[in-house]
Amino acid sequence: MLNIGITGGIGSGKTTVCKIFEKLGIPIYYADDRAKALMIEKKEIIEQITEIFGKRAYYKNGKLNRRHIAKIAFSTPDKLKALNAVVHPAVKQDGIDWAKAQKNVPYTLKEAALMIESGNYKVMDKLVVVAAPEEIRLARVMSRDDATKAEVKARMDKQLPEAEKIKLADYVIHNDGSQSLILQIWKLHQEFLKLK
Ligand code: ADP
């Protein structure tokens, strides 16, 4: 089974691109959503996060206290490292299990914002990078998340620059309005069908 990774900077349009692949019948693993789910579902992870951030890491109803975690992780880099060391391997394994369970599909896609930064791109057969200029990405995220330019920039600064991502890509989808998104996706889909 061909497992394809898809990444790109915040606001590049990864999710939008994946929704179109979904319409073509391709199963998609949304790593960031799964990470959030695992953090509240998986007993070992809950225990480890509680150990790192204390009992306040979770509300009584089982929800994650993101504000508490973000505050500590932001000011204590070692705790952020420890959190990543718990979550990243768990998501990696969950993604491998998920991919194995997919039957009768030509290929799978895995979407993750920090796929390159986390090193997880190395386990994918092919890597797609969705690209768009920073100004466009900024404007999209400000409007999508009702966020200020400074807030979006702060999130962008934690990500590898787009040019670095493109260097590692097998395929680039240009989502800057200069060419049809659907046509690019359709062509890639045909290419992946040939590879399988
Ligand atoms: P990402 O998942 O990479 O952060 P999204 O797919 O959520 O990006 O896209 C960011 C925002 O920009 C969303 O609101 C989305 O609807 C919008 N968007 C994405 N691609 C386009 C496009 N080609 N034209 C117009 N709006 C777009």
Side-chain angles (χ1 to χ4, degrees):
M1 170 78 73
L2 190 67
N3 296 307
I4 295 164
I6 182 159
T7 191
I10 180 170
S12 60
K14 297 177 294 297
T15 313
T16 306
V17 165
C18 286
K19 295 288 172 214
I20 301 172
F21 274 107
E22 253 177 46
K23 294 269 186 279
L24 296 170
I26 302 307
I28 324 267
Y29 182 88
Y30 292 96
D32 301 339
D33 291 346
R34 277 302 293 158
K36 284 180 193 152
L38 289 172
M39 286 165 84
I40 54 169
E41 284 168 8
K42 222 170 172 209
K43 199 165 162 270
E44 309 96 83
I45 297 185
I46 295 172
E47 282 168 4
Q48 285 170 297
I49 290 178
T50 307
E51 213 163 279
I52 301 166
F53 296 97
K55 279 201 165 25
R56 280 186 65 199
Y58 291 90
Y59 294 109
K60 283 211 169 65
N61 63 8
K63 273 196 174 174
L64 197 66
N65 186 344
R66 299 199 155 268
R67 189 181 284 266
H68 173 73
I69 290 179
K71 201 173 137 197
I72 296 182
F74 195 68
S75 59
T76 326
D78 279 356
K79 298 233 171 185
L80 177 61
K81 246 192 193 165
L83 175 67
N84 286 337
V86 169
V87 178
H88 284 167
V91 178
K92 189 172 169 184
Q93 189 55 50
D94 185 68
I96 291 169
D97 295 345
W98 173 88
K100 275 190 194 146
Q102 302 308 311
K103 307 274 185 233
N104 303 318
V105 291
Y107 61 91
T108 70
L109 273 180
K110 185 188 285 181
E111 188 233 347
L114 300 178
M115 182 171 283
I116 294 177
E117 291 85 340
S118 69
N120 283 349
Y121 74 98
K122 291 181 192 150
V123 303
M124 308 310 303
D125 297 313
K126 295 285 176 196
L127 180 67
V128 178
V129 169
V130 183
E134 184 171 309
E135 283 309 309
I136 293 182
R137 291 190 281 125
L138 264 173
R140 282 181 187 155
V141 179
M142 285 166 66
S143 140
R144 183 191 66 188
D145 297 351
D146 196 16
T148 66
K149 196 169 184 172
E151 283 165 349
V152 182
K153 268 213 171 315
R155 285 158 75 186
M156 277 182 176
D157 286 346
K158 292 195 194 115
Q159 304 187 333
L160 202 66
E162 184 168 277
E164 297 300 312
K165 291 180 180 163
I166 288 175
K167 279 187 202 159
L168 293 165
D170 296 297
Y171 307 95
V172 179
I173 293 178
H174 296 280
N175 186 22
D176 55 3
S178 69
Q179 41 186 310
S180 159
L181 192 57
I182 292 180
L183 196 57
Q184 293 180 76
I185 292 168
W186 179 250
K187 283 183 183 160
L188 269 189
H189 178 64
Q190 299 307 322
E191 173 89 14
F192 297 153
L193 293 180
K194 275 190 243 154
L195 289 176
K196 81 172 170 131

